[in-house]
Amino acid sequence: MRSESDRAAVMVLVVEDEVALSDVIQAYLATAGYATASARSGPEAVELARIVSPDVIILDLGLPGLDGLEVMRRIRAFSDCYVLITTARTEEVDRLIGLSAGADDYLTKPFSVRELVARVQAVLRRSRSEFEAPDRRTVRTFGDLEIDMTAHEVRLAGRPVPLTPTERGLLMTLADRPGQAFSRRQLMETVWGDGWVGDDHIVDVHIANLRRKLEETAESARYVTTVRGIGYRMGKG
């Protein structure tokens, strides 16, 4: 568990145009020991993300100026921080589009602010503990794909592949045990943590994003292969 000094070094950017809700979220985060900054519009969010370099962004999809999806696309051009989207839209397609644009997780309004803070704490625990075992200090090679398990860097044919933390976590989990077929639930427990509660199929969305960045599809998969009836396994490249 992070100490108070560890948490004080963590910056959470709250992007929410409802002033009262933003204030409540920031108050709960401050009580948990995190530093916060806030933005009320899309353009302000992009600018502030460049200035404060947040570890986590809580991003409302319905923003003035620029909508949340465009904000996330622009931020992803210079940051791989965790992004947790919040939305009042109930349609599943909106959440899937948010995940496809680079979000790591989502909550639908109205939500419990305590649950929101718990999600922030969960991703920060994950980022601190990921792949610290000594036996993972190596480079794994699968054809043209190289995965540096220590530096958390991925290269395809010598070129760096920009991945979100969730995409990188999924790929490194599969690469760490290339002979094992993982179920969606196993991947969620490894990458999201045992306490994560949500739809198993969120894994499919992140895998689809990962495959696109690895220049493959489900039909032509060389690196992340589907094991029918089970889940996913690392391919040989």
Side-chain angles (χ1 to χ4, degrees):
M1 182 176 295
R2 287 175 179 262
S3 67
E4 291 302 319
S5 60
D6 289 333
R7 290 184 180 183
V10 171
M11 169 59 68
V12 182
L13 174 58
V14 180
V15 184
E16 171 60 63
D17 63 333
E18 294 182 33
V19 177
L21 178 56
S22 176
D23 289 346
V24 170
I25 292 172
Q26 289 185 83
Y28 272 78
L29 289 167
T31 299
Y34 300 115
T36 66
S38 65
R40 307 281 194 244
S41 70
E44 183 185 6
V46 176
E47 180 181 2
L48 199 54
R50 290 185 182 276
I51 294 171
V52 304
S53 299
D55 300 279
V56 181
I57 298 177
I58 298 170
L59 177 63
D60 181 31
L61 288 187
L63 294 170
L66 293 172
D67 69 23
L69 295 178
E70 181 59 27
V71 169
M72 184 159 45
R73 291 189 184 100
R74 296 190 184 191
I75 289 175
R76 279 292 179 230
F78 60 85
S79 174
D80 69 348
C81 68
Y82 286 99
V83 177
L84 195 160
I85 57 174
T86 65
T87 177
R89 307 168 189 171
T90 57
E91 293 85 354
E92 182 181 8
V93 66
D94 290 308
R95 298 192 293 272
L96 295 180
I97 290 172
L99 294 172
S100 296
D104 296 285
D105 200 355
Y106 69 86
L107 281 174
T108 302
K109 294 180 178 180
F111 54 79
S112 162
V113 179
R114 287 189 177 89
E115 180 183 354
L116 176 63
V117 174
R119 295 281 185 98
V120 171
Q121 292 171 333
V123 298
L124 290 170
R125 282 196 301 270
R126 186 207 319 173
S127 66
R128 189 181 184 196
S129 62
E130 265 182 344
F131 309 105
E132 290 181 347
D135 60 337
R136 292 173 179 156
R137 295 181 179 276
T138 185
V139 175
R140 303 289 173 87
T141 302
F142 304 88
D144 289 339
L145 182 65
E146 292 183 352
I147 305 169
D148 190 322
M149 306 292 279
T150 302
H152 293 199
E153 294 177 350
V154 178
R155 292 178 293 275
L156 181 62
R159 304 185 306 273
V161 181
L163 300 178
T164 68
T166 298
E167 292 161 1
R168 188 168 56 245
L170 286 167
L171 183 60
M172 293 178 70
T173 297
L174 294 170
D176 189 51
R177 299 179 183 175
Q180 178 175 337
F182 288 84
S183 68
R184 294 180 181 88
R185 177 53 56 178
Q186 286 175 314
L187 287 170
M188 288 179 69
E189 290 176 352
T190 302
V191 177
W192 277 262
D194 292 344
W196 196 89
V197 177
D199 184 353
D200 290 10
H201 290 281
I202 191 174
V203 173
D204 298 334
V205 181
H206 287 294
I207 289 290
N209 295 340
L210 176 60
R211 281 172 165 163
R212 186 178 68 254
K213 293 180 180 180
L214 296 179
E215 302 176 2
E216 65 179 11
T217 64
E219 294 74 26
S220 66
R222 295 176 295 161
Y223 306 114
V224 180
T225 62
T226 300
V227 181
R228 193 173 300 278
I230 299 178
Y232 300 99
R233 179 172 58 207
M234 195 70 203
K236 297 180 180 180

